Amino acid sequence: MNIKKNISTTILSIALAAMMGSAAGVRAADQIFTGAFDVGSAGNAQKFNPLTAPAGFGFYNKYFSTLTLYDVGLQKISGDLAESWTYAKDGKSLTIKLRKGVQWHDGQSFTAADVKFTLELVKNPAMASVFSSRLKDVSSIRVLDPNTVVIDLVQMDASLPDAFTNIMMVPAHLLGKIPARELRTSNWWKSPVGTGPFKWAKYTPDQFVELVANPDFYRGKPLLAKMVNRYFKDGSAATIALQAGEIQFSAMTLDEVKENQGSKAVDVIAGPSHVLNYIGFNNNDARFKDVRVRQAILLAVDRNAIVKHIYKNTATVANCVLTLADYVPADINKYDTNVQKARALLAAAGWNQSEPLELLTYYNDQASKDVMAVLQSMLAQAGVNVNPRFVDGPTFGTIVDSNKFSLVYAGGGNGPDPGTLVPLMKSSYAPPNGVNRMRVNLAELDALFDAAQQETDSARRTLIYQQMCRVTNARLPWIPLWVGNRFGGFAKNVQNVIWTPAPGGGRYQDYPERWSIK
Protein backbone atom coordinates (compact mmCIF):
# COMPACT_ATOMS: atom_id res chain seq x y z
CA MET A 1 0.00 0.00 0.00
CA ASN A 2 1.08 3.57 -0.65
CA ILE A 3 0.53 4.68 2.95
CA LYS A 4 2.02 7.66 4.74
CA LYS A 5 2.49 7.40 8.52
CA ASN A 6 3.83 9.46 11.38
CA ILE A 7 4.12 7.58 14.68
CA SER A 8 3.57 9.58 17.87
CA THR A 9 3.80 8.33 21.47
CA THR A 10 0.63 6.26 21.60
CA ILE A 11 -1.43 7.24 18.59
CA LEU A 12 -0.78 6.83 14.90
CA SER A 13 -1.30 10.26 13.38
CA ILE A 14 -1.35 10.86 9.68
CA ALA A 15 -0.52 13.94 7.67
CA LEU A 16 -0.34 14.16 3.90
CA ALA A 17 1.75 17.30 4.10
CA ALA A 18 4.18 18.35 1.42
CA MET A 19 6.81 20.95 2.15
CA MET A 20 5.13 24.27 2.90
CA GLY A 21 5.22 26.54 -0.08
CA SER A 22 3.23 28.06 -2.90
CA ALA A 23 1.10 26.11 -5.32
CA ALA A 24 3.09 27.08 -8.37
CA GLY A 25 1.26 24.82 -10.80
CA VAL A 26 -2.26 26.26 -10.39
CA ARG A 27 -3.26 29.93 -10.16
CA ALA A 28 -4.79 30.97 -6.83
CA ALA A 29 -8.10 31.87 -8.52
CA ASP A 30 -8.32 28.31 -9.92
CA GLN A 31 -7.53 26.48 -6.68
CA ILE A 32 -10.60 24.30 -6.11
CA PHE A 33 -10.44 21.32 -3.77
CA THR A 34 -13.30 18.86 -4.30
CA GLY A 35 -13.82 16.05 -1.83
CA ALA A 36 -16.35 13.38 -0.98
CA PHE A 37 -16.31 14.51 2.65
CA ASP A 38 -19.47 12.63 3.57
CA VAL A 39 -18.51 9.20 2.23
CA GLY A 40 -17.93 6.60 4.91
CA SER A 41 -18.78 6.39 8.59
CA ALA A 42 -17.29 9.82 9.35
CA GLY A 43 -19.78 11.53 7.02
CA ASN A 44 -23.25 12.94 7.57
CA ALA A 45 -24.45 13.71 4.07
CA GLN A 46 -26.89 16.60 3.59
CA LYS A 47 -27.57 17.00 7.31
CA PHE A 48 -26.34 20.47 8.11
CA ASN A 49 -27.10 21.13 11.77
CA PRO A 50 -23.78 20.30 13.48
CA LEU A 51 -25.32 20.47 16.95
CA THR A 52 -27.46 17.40 16.27
CA ALA A 53 -24.90 15.54 14.16
CA PRO A 54 -23.08 12.39 15.30
CA ALA A 55 -20.55 12.73 12.47
CA GLY A 56 -19.62 14.92 9.52
CA PHE A 57 -17.26 17.21 11.43
CA GLY A 58 -14.54 16.94 8.79
CA PHE A 59 -16.63 19.24 6.60
CA TYR A 60 -18.52 21.23 9.25
CA ASN A 61 -15.24 22.61 10.55
CA LYS A 62 -14.40 24.09 7.18
CA TYR A 63 -17.03 26.79 7.71
CA PHE A 64 -17.84 26.60 11.44
CA SER A 65 -15.33 26.70 14.31
CA THR A 66 -15.08 25.20 17.79
CA LEU A 67 -13.65 26.49 21.05
CA THR A 68 -10.97 23.80 21.14
CA LEU A 69 -9.39 21.21 18.85
CA TYR A 70 -6.98 18.30 19.13
CA ASP A 71 -3.69 18.12 17.29
CA VAL A 72 -3.58 15.68 14.38
CA GLY A 73 -2.27 12.96 16.70
CA LEU A 74 -5.43 13.32 18.84
CA GLN A 75 -3.26 13.71 21.92
CA LYS A 76 -3.15 17.38 22.91
CA ILE A 77 -6.01 19.88 23.02
CA SER A 78 -5.32 23.48 22.07
CA GLY A 79 -7.47 26.53 21.55
CA ASP A 80 -9.33 27.36 18.37
CA LEU A 81 -11.82 30.11 19.17
CA ALA A 82 -10.76 29.81 22.80
CA GLU A 83 -7.42 31.36 23.65
CA SER A 84 -7.22 29.83 27.13
CA TRP A 85 -9.38 28.16 29.81
CA THR A 86 -8.94 27.82 33.55
CA TYR A 87 -10.84 25.83 36.17
CA ALA A 88 -11.52 27.37 39.58
CA LYS A 89 -9.70 25.70 42.50
CA ASP A 90 -12.94 24.06 43.67
CA GLY A 91 -13.73 22.84 40.15
CA LYS A 92 -17.10 24.58 40.21
CA SER A 93 -16.44 26.95 37.30
CA LEU A 94 -14.47 27.17 34.06
CA THR A 95 -13.34 30.56 32.72
CA ILE A 96 -12.72 30.77 28.98
CA LYS A 97 -10.81 33.61 27.32
CA LEU A 98 -11.71 33.99 23.65
CA ARG A 99 -9.53 34.83 20.70
CA LYS A 100 -9.90 38.49 19.80
CA GLY A 101 -10.64 39.82 16.34
CA VAL A 102 -12.65 36.82 15.07
CA GLN A 103 -15.53 37.72 12.77
CA TRP A 104 -18.60 35.89 11.59
CA HIS A 105 -18.86 35.57 7.83
CA ASP A 106 -21.33 38.48 7.79
CA GLY A 107 -18.75 40.80 9.39
CA GLN A 108 -20.15 40.79 12.93
CA SER A 109 -17.75 40.12 15.80
CA PHE A 110 -17.64 36.73 17.49
CA THR A 111 -18.09 37.27 21.24
CA ALA A 112 -18.77 35.54 24.54
CA ALA A 113 -22.48 36.05 23.90
CA ASP A 114 -22.19 33.56 21.01
CA VAL A 115 -20.56 30.98 23.29
CA LYS A 116 -23.29 31.39 25.89
CA PHE A 117 -25.99 31.12 23.23
CA THR A 118 -24.47 28.02 21.61
CA LEU A 119 -23.92 26.10 24.83
CA GLU A 120 -27.39 26.94 26.11
CA LEU A 121 -28.79 25.80 22.79
CA VAL A 122 -26.96 22.47 23.13
CA LYS A 123 -28.44 22.02 26.62
CA ASN A 124 -31.97 22.89 25.46
CA PRO A 125 -33.98 19.63 25.18
CA ALA A 126 -35.88 21.08 22.22
CA MET A 127 -32.65 21.12 20.18
CA ALA A 128 -32.11 17.40 20.92
CA SER A 129 -28.36 17.86 20.57
CA VAL A 130 -26.21 14.75 20.68
CA PHE A 131 -23.82 16.74 22.90
CA SER A 132 -26.27 17.71 25.63
CA SER A 133 -25.06 14.84 27.83
CA ARG A 134 -21.53 16.26 27.74
CA LEU A 135 -22.84 19.48 29.34
CA LYS A 136 -25.03 17.86 31.99
CA ASP A 137 -23.06 19.43 34.89
CA VAL A 138 -23.19 22.94 33.42
CA SER A 139 -25.53 24.91 35.71
CA SER A 140 -25.18 28.36 34.11
CA ILE A 141 -23.15 30.32 31.58
CA ARG A 142 -22.14 33.92 32.29
CA VAL A 143 -20.68 36.60 30.01
CA LEU A 144 -18.10 38.69 31.88
CA ASP A 145 -17.05 40.77 28.88
CA PRO A 146 -17.03 40.32 25.07
CA ASN A 147 -14.00 38.02 25.30
CA THR A 148 -14.64 36.18 28.57
CA VAL A 149 -17.24 33.57 29.46
CA VAL A 150 -17.63 31.70 32.75
CA ILE A 151 -19.24 28.25 32.87
CA ASP A 152 -20.63 27.37 36.29
CA LEU A 153 -20.61 23.67 37.16
CA VAL A 154 -22.53 21.46 39.55
CA GLN A 155 -19.30 19.50 39.96
CA MET A 156 -15.91 19.34 38.32
CA ASP A 157 -15.94 18.03 34.75
CA ALA A 158 -12.42 17.61 33.40
CA SER A 159 -13.75 16.34 30.06
CA LEU A 160 -15.27 19.67 28.94
CA PRO A 161 -12.29 20.76 26.77
CA ASP A 162 -12.70 17.46 24.91
CA ALA A 163 -16.46 18.05 24.52
CA PHE A 164 -15.80 21.50 23.08
CA THR A 165 -13.84 20.00 20.16
CA ASN A 166 -17.19 18.81 18.75
CA ILE A 167 -19.45 21.77 19.46
CA MET A 168 -19.55 24.23 16.57
CA MET A 169 -20.19 27.82 17.63
CA VAL A 170 -23.25 29.45 16.03
CA PRO A 171 -24.22 33.16 15.85
CA ALA A 172 -26.51 34.54 18.53
CA HIS A 173 -27.27 37.69 16.54
CA LEU A 174 -28.80 35.63 13.71
CA LEU A 175 -30.39 32.73 15.60
CA GLY A 176 -31.19 34.11 19.04
CA LYS A 177 -34.86 34.79 18.32
CA ILE A 178 -35.63 31.45 16.65
CA PRO A 179 -37.18 28.84 19.00
CA ALA A 180 -34.85 25.86 19.47
CA ARG A 181 -37.42 23.35 18.26
CA GLU A 182 -37.85 25.33 15.03
CA LEU A 183 -34.13 25.97 14.65
CA ARG A 184 -33.31 22.29 14.91
CA THR A 185 -34.58 21.63 11.36
CA SER A 186 -34.48 25.18 10.03
CA ASN A 187 -33.43 25.92 6.47
CA TRP A 188 -30.92 28.36 7.95
CA TRP A 189 -28.45 25.48 8.17
CA LYS A 190 -28.53 25.26 4.36
CA SER A 191 -27.06 28.77 4.03
CA PRO A 192 -25.28 29.23 7.37
CA VAL A 193 -22.91 31.86 8.70
CA GLY A 194 -19.85 30.60 10.55
CA THR A 195 -16.37 31.77 11.51
CA GLY A 196 -14.33 29.13 9.66
CA PRO A 197 -11.77 29.48 6.85
CA PHE A 198 -14.43 29.07 4.16
CA LYS A 199 -17.83 30.67 3.67
CA TRP A 200 -20.99 28.98 2.45
CA ALA A 201 -21.71 29.83 -1.20
CA LYS A 202 -24.06 27.30 -2.79
CA TYR A 203 -25.97 24.08 -2.11
CA THR A 204 -27.42 21.91 -4.86
CA PRO A 205 -29.33 19.01 -3.28
CA ASP A 206 -27.89 15.54 -3.97
CA GLN A 207 -24.99 17.11 -5.87
CA PHE A 208 -22.68 19.39 -3.88
CA VAL A 209 -22.01 22.17 -1.40
CA GLU A 210 -19.65 24.91 -2.53
CA LEU A 211 -17.64 27.02 -0.11
CA VAL A 212 -15.49 30.05 -0.96
CA ALA A 213 -12.39 31.35 0.80
CA ASN A 214 -12.96 33.60 3.79
CA PRO A 215 -10.57 36.55 3.30
CA ASP A 216 -11.07 37.61 6.93
CA PHE A 217 -10.25 34.26 8.54
CA TYR A 218 -8.28 34.90 11.72
CA ARG A 219 -5.26 32.78 10.63
CA GLY A 220 -5.22 34.29 7.15
CA LYS A 221 -6.98 33.90 3.82
CA PRO A 222 -6.98 30.29 2.50
CA LEU A 223 -4.78 29.39 -0.47
CA LEU A 224 -7.73 27.60 -2.06
CA ALA A 225 -10.34 29.74 -3.82
CA LYS A 226 -13.09 27.17 -3.25
CA MET A 227 -13.78 23.95 -1.41
CA VAL A 228 -16.52 21.63 -2.68
CA ASN A 229 -18.21 18.72 -0.94
CA ARG A 230 -19.55 16.46 -3.67
CA TYR A 231 -22.22 13.85 -2.92
CA PHE A 232 -22.15 10.28 -4.19
CA LYS A 233 -24.71 7.50 -3.97
CA ASP A 234 -22.06 5.14 -2.61
CA GLY A 235 -18.41 5.07 -1.68
CA SER A 236 -17.32 3.06 -4.71
CA ALA A 237 -18.54 5.81 -7.03
CA ALA A 238 -16.51 8.34 -5.05
CA THR A 239 -13.39 6.19 -5.30
CA ILE A 240 -13.83 5.88 -9.06
CA ALA A 241 -14.13 9.67 -9.28
CA LEU A 242 -10.99 10.04 -7.16
CA GLN A 243 -9.00 7.66 -9.33
CA ALA A 244 -10.22 9.50 -12.43
CA GLY A 245 -8.98 12.83 -11.08
CA GLU A 246 -12.46 14.33 -10.71
CA ILE A 247 -12.10 14.87 -6.97
CA GLN A 248 -9.17 15.19 -4.57
CA PHE A 249 -10.35 13.21 -1.53
CA SER A 250 -12.58 10.35 -0.40
CA ALA A 251 -12.69 7.81 2.39
CA MET A 252 -11.91 4.33 1.08
CA THR A 253 -12.79 0.82 2.19
CA LEU A 254 -10.18 -1.88 2.72
CA ASP A 255 -11.26 -3.55 -0.52
CA GLU A 256 -10.80 -0.29 -2.43
CA VAL A 257 -7.37 0.17 -0.87
CA LYS A 258 -6.39 -3.33 -2.03
CA GLU A 259 -7.55 -2.53 -5.56
CA ASN A 260 -5.45 0.64 -5.53
CA GLN A 261 -2.26 -1.26 -4.71
CA GLY A 262 -1.73 -2.19 -8.33
CA SER A 263 -2.30 1.18 -9.99
CA LYS A 264 -1.27 3.44 -7.08
CA ALA A 265 -3.54 6.01 -8.71
CA VAL A 266 -4.03 7.81 -5.38
CA ASP A 267 -2.14 8.23 -2.14
CA VAL A 268 -3.74 6.23 0.67
CA ILE A 269 -3.47 7.39 4.26
CA ALA A 270 -4.27 4.89 7.00
CA GLY A 271 -4.65 5.04 10.74
CA PRO A 272 -6.61 3.60 13.67
CA SER A 273 -10.25 4.64 13.74
CA HIS A 274 -10.47 5.05 17.54
CA VAL A 275 -13.72 3.13 17.13
CA LEU A 276 -14.09 -0.14 18.99
CA ASN A 277 -15.96 -2.79 17.03
CA TYR A 278 -17.88 -4.98 19.43
CA ILE A 279 -20.67 -7.51 19.79
CA GLY A 280 -23.31 -5.77 21.80
CA PHE A 281 -26.19 -7.43 23.54
CA ASN A 282 -29.36 -6.22 25.16
CA ASN A 283 -28.38 -6.01 28.83
CA ASN A 284 -32.09 -6.23 29.70
CA ASP A 285 -32.33 -9.65 28.05
CA ALA A 286 -32.25 -12.38 30.72
CA ARG A 287 -30.35 -14.71 28.37
CA PHE A 288 -27.23 -12.52 28.67
CA LYS A 289 -27.35 -11.72 32.40
CA ASP A 290 -24.92 -14.50 33.28
CA VAL A 291 -21.38 -13.28 32.61
CA ARG A 292 -20.41 -16.84 31.58
CA VAL A 293 -22.60 -16.47 28.48
CA ARG A 294 -20.82 -13.27 27.54
CA GLN A 295 -17.42 -14.82 28.19
CA ALA A 296 -18.34 -17.80 26.04
CA ILE A 297 -19.29 -15.59 23.10
CA LEU A 298 -15.92 -13.85 23.27
CA LEU A 299 -13.95 -17.07 23.67
CA ALA A 300 -15.70 -18.51 20.61
CA VAL A 301 -14.50 -15.73 18.31
CA ASP A 302 -11.03 -16.14 16.85
CA ARG A 303 -10.33 -12.43 16.64
CA ASN A 304 -6.70 -12.86 15.57
CA ALA A 305 -7.79 -14.96 12.58
CA ILE A 306 -10.33 -12.32 11.52
CA VAL A 307 -7.76 -9.53 11.87
CA LYS A 308 -5.25 -11.52 9.81
CA HIS A 309 -7.42 -12.91 7.05
CA ILE A 310 -10.19 -10.32 6.61
CA TYR A 311 -8.50 -7.12 7.74
CA LYS A 312 -5.06 -8.15 6.50
CA ASN A 313 -3.56 -7.02 9.81
CA THR A 314 -4.98 -3.50 9.50
CA ALA A 315 -6.88 -3.91 12.78
CA THR A 316 -5.81 -4.48 16.39
CA VAL A 317 -7.49 -6.88 18.83
CA ALA A 318 -9.11 -5.19 21.85
CA ASN A 319 -9.87 -6.66 25.26
CA CYS A 320 -11.85 -3.91 26.96
CA VAL A 321 -13.89 -0.87 25.92
CA LEU A 322 -10.78 1.35 26.07
CA THR A 323 -8.13 0.84 23.42
CA LEU A 324 -5.55 3.63 23.77
CA ALA A 325 -2.39 2.00 25.12
CA ASP A 326 -2.12 4.21 28.22
CA TYR A 327 -5.48 2.97 29.47
CA VAL A 328 -4.95 -0.77 28.95
CA PRO A 329 -3.20 -2.46 31.90
CA ALA A 330 -1.17 -5.61 31.40
CA ASP A 331 -3.15 -7.68 33.91
CA ILE A 332 -6.42 -8.05 31.98
CA ASN A 333 -7.81 -11.26 30.52
CA LYS A 334 -6.75 -11.68 26.88
CA TYR A 335 -9.61 -14.12 26.14
CA ASP A 336 -7.59 -16.33 23.82
CA THR A 337 -9.89 -18.35 21.59
CA ASN A 338 -11.09 -21.56 23.25
CA VAL A 339 -14.21 -23.10 21.76
CA GLN A 340 -14.20 -26.04 24.17
CA LYS A 341 -14.17 -23.70 27.16
CA ALA A 342 -16.90 -21.60 25.54
CA ARG A 343 -19.14 -24.67 25.27
CA ALA A 344 -18.45 -25.56 28.92
CA LEU A 345 -19.31 -22.05 30.10
CA LEU A 346 -22.56 -22.07 28.15
CA ALA A 347 -23.49 -25.46 29.60
CA ALA A 348 -22.73 -24.26 33.13
CA ALA A 349 -24.86 -21.18 32.55
CA GLY A 350 -27.78 -23.32 31.36
CA TRP A 351 -27.74 -21.89 27.84
CA ASN A 352 -30.72 -23.24 25.91
CA GLN A 353 -31.34 -21.74 22.49
CA SER A 354 -34.53 -22.75 20.70
CA GLU A 355 -34.06 -20.59 17.60
CA PRO A 356 -31.30 -18.45 16.03
CA LEU A 357 -30.71 -14.97 17.42
CA GLU A 358 -30.60 -12.01 15.08
CA LEU A 359 -27.17 -10.38 14.81
CA LEU A 360 -27.96 -6.84 13.67
CA THR A 361 -25.52 -4.39 12.07
CA TYR A 362 -25.46 -1.14 10.13
CA TYR A 363 -22.13 -1.98 8.50
CA ASN A 364 -22.68 -2.85 4.84
CA ASP A 365 -19.18 -2.87 3.31
CA GLN A 366 -17.78 -6.13 2.00
CA ALA A 367 -15.27 -6.63 4.81
CA SER A 368 -18.04 -6.30 7.40
CA LYS A 369 -20.21 -8.75 5.48
CA ASP A 370 -17.32 -11.20 5.59
CA VAL A 371 -16.93 -10.58 9.32
CA MET A 372 -20.62 -11.25 9.94
CA ALA A 373 -20.44 -14.55 8.06
CA VAL A 374 -17.37 -15.65 10.01
CA LEU A 375 -18.92 -14.62 13.34
CA GLN A 376 -21.98 -16.68 12.49
CA SER A 377 -19.79 -19.72 11.81
CA MET A 378 -17.55 -19.31 14.87
CA LEU A 379 -20.40 -18.74 17.29
CA ALA A 380 -22.25 -21.77 15.92
CA GLN A 381 -19.27 -23.99 16.81
CA ALA A 382 -19.74 -23.01 20.45
CA GLY A 383 -23.52 -23.47 20.35
CA VAL A 384 -24.71 -19.90 19.78
CA ASN A 385 -26.68 -19.70 16.55
CA VAL A 386 -27.17 -16.31 14.91
CA ASN A 387 -28.62 -14.95 11.68
CA PRO A 388 -26.94 -11.81 10.32
CA ARG A 389 -29.19 -8.89 9.40
CA PHE A 390 -27.91 -5.81 7.56
CA VAL A 391 -29.76 -2.49 7.81
CA ASP A 392 -28.93 1.18 7.34
CA GLY A 393 -27.95 3.44 10.22
CA PRO A 394 -31.35 5.05 10.88
CA THR A 395 -33.11 1.66 10.85
CA PHE A 396 -30.52 0.27 13.26
CA GLY A 397 -31.13 3.19 15.61
CA THR A 398 -34.89 2.73 15.52
CA ILE A 399 -34.63 -0.99 16.29
CA VAL A 400 -32.23 -0.73 19.22
CA ASP A 401 -33.87 2.37 20.69
CA SER A 402 -37.16 0.49 20.78
CA ASN A 403 -35.47 -2.35 22.70
CA LYS A 404 -36.31 -4.91 19.98
CA PHE A 405 -32.93 -6.58 19.52
CA SER A 406 -30.78 -9.34 20.95
CA LEU A 407 -27.28 -8.99 19.49
CA VAL A 408 -25.55 -6.34 17.39
CA TYR A 409 -22.24 -5.92 15.63
CA ALA A 410 -21.48 -2.24 16.03
CA GLY A 411 -18.82 0.36 16.74
CA GLY A 412 -18.34 2.93 19.47
CA GLY A 413 -15.87 5.83 19.52
CA ASN A 414 -13.70 5.51 22.62
CA GLY A 415 -11.15 8.26 22.24
CA PRO A 416 -9.19 10.30 22.40
CA ASP A 417 -10.84 11.11 25.76
CA PRO A 418 -12.75 8.14 27.23
CA GLY A 419 -15.32 10.64 28.45
CA THR A 420 -16.91 10.13 25.04
CA LEU A 421 -18.12 6.76 26.35
CA VAL A 422 -20.29 8.32 29.08
CA PRO A 423 -23.43 8.69 26.92
CA LEU A 424 -22.80 5.25 25.39
CA MET A 425 -22.31 3.26 28.59
CA LYS A 426 -23.44 5.13 31.70
CA SER A 427 -26.68 3.70 33.06
CA SER A 428 -28.48 7.06 33.25
CA TYR A 429 -28.23 7.42 29.46
CA ALA A 430 -30.23 4.36 28.47
CA PRO A 431 -33.02 5.21 25.97
CA PRO A 432 -35.06 7.35 25.97
CA ASN A 433 -32.64 9.47 28.03
CA GLY A 434 -29.63 8.93 25.78
CA VAL A 435 -27.70 6.58 23.51
CA ASN A 436 -26.67 3.82 25.94
CA ARG A 437 -28.42 1.53 23.50
CA MET A 438 -27.07 -1.71 24.97
CA ARG A 439 -28.70 -0.71 28.30
CA VAL A 440 -25.41 -1.11 30.20
CA ASN A 441 -26.11 -0.86 33.93
CA LEU A 442 -23.00 -1.36 36.07
CA ALA A 443 -22.75 0.68 39.27
CA GLU A 444 -18.97 0.25 39.38
CA LEU A 445 -18.62 1.55 35.84
CA ASP A 446 -20.86 4.54 36.58
CA ALA A 447 -18.72 5.38 39.62
CA LEU A 448 -15.53 5.26 37.53
CA PHE A 449 -17.02 7.60 34.92
CA ASP A 450 -17.88 10.05 37.72
CA ALA A 451 -14.43 9.77 39.28
CA ALA A 452 -12.66 10.40 35.98
CA GLN A 453 -14.85 13.39 35.24
CA GLN A 454 -13.88 15.02 38.53
CA GLU A 455 -10.15 14.23 38.35
CA THR A 456 -7.89 16.91 36.86
CA ASP A 457 -4.55 15.17 37.42
CA SER A 458 -3.75 13.27 34.23
CA ALA A 459 -1.78 10.51 35.96
CA ARG A 460 -4.57 9.78 38.44
CA ARG A 461 -7.14 9.99 35.66
CA THR A 462 -5.17 7.38 33.71
CA LEU A 463 -5.30 5.04 36.71
CA ILE A 464 -9.09 5.46 36.84
CA TYR A 465 -9.40 4.57 33.18
CA GLN A 466 -7.14 1.55 33.63
CA GLN A 467 -9.53 0.33 36.32
CA MET A 468 -12.41 0.98 33.90
CA CYS A 469 -10.63 -1.26 31.41
CA ARG A 470 -10.31 -4.00 34.06
CA VAL A 471 -14.00 -3.76 34.97
CA THR A 472 -15.25 -3.91 31.39
CA ASN A 473 -12.77 -6.71 30.63
CA ALA A 474 -14.18 -8.79 33.49
CA ARG A 475 -17.88 -7.91 33.23
CA LEU A 476 -18.09 -7.57 29.41
CA PRO A 477 -20.95 -5.06 29.10
CA TRP A 478 -19.79 -4.94 25.47
CA ILE A 479 -17.88 -7.84 23.91
CA PRO A 480 -14.73 -6.16 22.55
CA LEU A 481 -13.39 -7.32 19.21
CA TRP A 482 -10.93 -4.94 17.53
CA VAL A 483 -10.12 -1.42 16.42
CA GLY A 484 -9.83 -1.27 12.65
CA ASN A 485 -7.92 1.15 10.49
CA ARG A 486 -9.72 3.63 8.31
CA PHE A 487 -8.42 4.93 5.03
CA GLY A 488 -8.40 8.21 3.18
CA GLY A 489 -7.53 8.51 -0.49
CA PHE A 490 -5.97 11.71 -1.83
CA ALA A 491 -5.13 12.85 -5.34
CA LYS A 492 -1.43 13.17 -6.01
CA ASN A 493 -1.70 16.87 -6.90
CA VAL A 494 -2.68 18.08 -3.41
CA GLN A 495 -0.28 19.47 -0.85
CA ASN A 496 -0.27 20.64 2.77
CA VAL A 497 -3.38 18.53 3.47
CA ILE A 498 -3.64 17.12 7.01
CA TRP A 499 -6.03 14.25 7.74
CA THR A 500 -6.50 11.57 10.36
CA PRO A 501 -9.40 9.09 10.76
CA ALA A 502 -10.92 10.66 13.87
CA PRO A 503 -14.29 9.31 15.11
CA GLY A 504 -17.00 11.29 13.34
CA GLY A 505 -14.35 13.19 11.38
CA GLY A 506 -12.96 16.54 12.43
CA ARG A 507 -12.15 17.41 16.06
CA TYR A 508 -8.52 18.15 15.16
CA GLN A 509 -6.61 21.07 13.71
CA ASP A 510 -6.20 20.38 9.98
CA TYR A 511 -5.33 23.95 8.87
CA PRO A 512 -7.45 23.92 5.68
CA GLU A 513 -6.33 27.48 4.92
CA ARG A 514 -2.95 25.93 3.97
CA TRP A 515 -4.32 23.29 1.60
CA SER A 516 -3.49 23.75 -2.06
CA ILE A 517 -3.33 22.13 -5.50
CA LYS A 518 -0.02 21.63 -7.26
Side-chain angles (χ1 to χ4, degrees):
M1 297 182 191
N2 189 6
I3 297 176
K4 301 178 185 289
K5 300 179 181 178
N6 176 29
I7 307 295
S8 60
T9 306
T10 60
I11 300 176
L12 183 69
S13 62
I14 301 93
L16 179 62
M19 295 295 291
M20 292 297 296
S22 62
V26 182
R27 294 185 311 150
D30 298 325
Q31 293 264 318
I32 301 175
F33 186 103
T34 301
F37 289 94
D38 285 318
V39 164
S41 57
N44 198 33
Q46 301 190 82
K47 295 180 176 64
F48 299 114
N49 180 349
L51 302 183
T52 61
F57 303 104
F59 190 64
Y60 294 138
N61 68 11
K62 302 302 182 288
Y63 53 97
F64 285 118
S65 305
T66 56
L67 291 173
T68 60
L69 283 172
Y70 278 95
D71 61 9
V72 71
L74 300 180
Q75 289 188 315
K76 183 180 178 181
I77 295 176
S78 60
D80 189 16
L81 293 176
E83 197 168 68
S84 65
W85 54 95
T86 307
Y87 283 96
K89 289 184 179 180
D90 64 0
K92 294 294 185 69
S93 68
L94 176 65
T95 300
I96 302 174
K97 294 287 186 180
L98 301 178
R99 190 179 299 277
K100 296 178 181 178
V102 177
Q103 293 183 346
W104 293 102
H105 294 154
D106 63 0
Q108 295 293 311
S109 295
F110 166 76
T111 72
D114 298 305
V115 177
K116 174 180 169 66
F117 171 73
T118 301
L119 297 183
E120 289 179 343
L121 192 60
V122 169
K123 284 181 64 67
N124 190 329
M127 175 54 67
S129 173
V130 295
F131 307 114
S132 61
S133 63
R134 301 297 305 274
L135 304 182
K136 67 179 178 62
D137 286 321
V138 173
S139 58
S140 65
I141 303 157
R142 295 179 283 128
V143 173
L144 291 192
D145 60 53
N147 297 300
T148 310
V149 62
V150 176
I151 299 175
D152 295 312
L153 302 170
V154 174
Q155 60 184 354
M156 175 67 187
D157 185 351
S159 72
L160 282 178
D162 171 84
F164 294 153
T165 65
N166 262 335
I167 299 175
M168 306 287 163
M169 294 293 108
V170 295
H173 68 282
L174 295 177
L175 305 180
K177 295 183 179 180
I178 303 176
R181 192 175 303 278
E182 178 183 332
L183 179 58
R184 185 175 189 270
T185 55
S186 170
N187 282 330
W188 183 87
W189 302 106
K190 296 178 181 178
S191 57
V193 172
T195 55
F198 293 88
K199 301 193 294 186
W200 191 278
K202 184 179 182 181
Y203 167 51
T204 301
D206 300 323
Q207 295 187 41
F208 65 88
V209 168
E210 179 181 289
L211 309 177
V212 296
N214 173 15
D216 300 314
F217 183 54
Y218 74 82
R219 286 198 303 260
K221 181 181 178 180
L223 298 176
L224 296 170
K226 296 180 181 180
M227 182 171 286
V228 176
N229 184 9
R230 184 171 155 188
Y231 298 121
F232 293 86
K233 290 184 178 180
D234 56 61
S236 60
T239 298
I240 291 171
L242 175 64
Q243 293 172 330
E246 297 175 17
I247 62 176
Q248 281 71 52
F249 162 71
S250 178
M252 298 175 70
T253 66
L254 178 59
D255 293 317
E256 291 164 349
V257 170
K258 293 175 186 175
E259 292 172 1
N260 183 67
Q261 289 182 34
S263 65
K264 292 185 170 60
V266 300
D267 286 321
V268 176
I269 301 175
S273 62
H274 301 283
V275 172
L276 172 70
N277 287 123
Y278 64 93
I279 294 175
F281 57 91
N282 189 335
N283 280 264
N284 289 337
D285 190 326
R287 292 173 293 185
F288 304 110
K289 292 289 186 182
D290 193 321
V291 69
R292 293 172 294 185
V293 172
R294 307 195 293 274
Q295 291 171 336
I297 290 173
L298 183 49
L299 288 168
V301 178
D302 191 341
R303 294 171 294 166
N304 288 313
I306 292 174
V307 166
K308 179 179 179 180
H309 296 292
I310 295 181
Y311 290 108
K312 306 300 181 185
N313 295 316
T314 63
T316 304
V317 169
N319 289 302
C320 74
V321 301
L322 303 180
T323 57
L324 294 184
D326 286 352
Y327 305 140
V328 181
D331 58 354
I332 59 174
N333 189 339
K334 303 300 190 296
Y335 289 100
D336 294 328
T337 308
N338 189 328
V339 177
Q340 184 175 355
K341 185 176 180 180
R343 290 191 189 120
L345 285 170
L346 288 171
W351 179 259
N352 184 16
Q353 187 179 359
S354 59
E355 59 185 32
L357 300 172
E358 183 175 88
L359 179 60
L360 183 71
T361 190
Y362 50 83
Y363 290 121
N364 287 279
D365 60 284
Q366 187 56 53
S368 295
K369 290 177 180 178
D370 294 341
V371 165
M372 290 284 278
V374 172
L375 289 176
Q376 181 183 30
S377 175
M378 289 178 173
L379 291 174
Q381 292 179 38
V384 178
N385 297 308
V386 300
N387 284 334
R389 180 185 175 190
F390 300 88
V391 297
D392 58 26
T395 301
F396 178 90
T398 298
I399 293 171
V400 296
D401 285 347
S402 62
N403 206 25
K404 297 178 180 178
F405 72 101
S406 298
L407 292 170
V408 303
Y409 171 59
N414 68 351
D417 189 305
T420 58
L421 285 170
V422 169
L424 300 178
M425 301 196 77
K426 196 172 181 183
S427 61
S428 56
Y429 292 107
N433 299 323
V435 289
N436 175 5
R437 288 169 160 167
M438 300 301 106
R439 279 74 174 174
V440 176
N441 188 0
L442 292 176
E444 188 175 2
L445 183 58
D446 288 348
L448 289 167
F449 278 129
D450 290 340
Q453 175 182 305
Q454 296 172 44
E455 182 56 70
T456 57
D457 182 84
S458 60
R460 288 195 292 266
R461 206 160 180 248
T462 294
L463 293 176
I464 293 170
Y465 284 134
Q466 288 179 350
Q467 184 59 21
M468 186 180 295
C469 182
R470 292 187 183 96
V471 169
T472 57
N473 172 262
R475 301 291 297 278
L476 298 178
W478 292 356
I479 296 172
L481 298 175
W482 47 73
V483 174
N485 278 7
R486 287 182 178 167
F487 308 93
F490 289 84
K492 292 182 177 292
N493 66 334
V494 303
Q495 60 183 4
N496 307 328
V497 174
I498 296 174
W499 181 83
T500 195
R507 300 191 69 194
Y508 61 93
Q509 194 65 270
D510 60 357
Y511 299 103
E513 72 276 9
R514 301 176 185 174
W515 297 13
S516 61
I517 308 293
K518 292 190 244 182

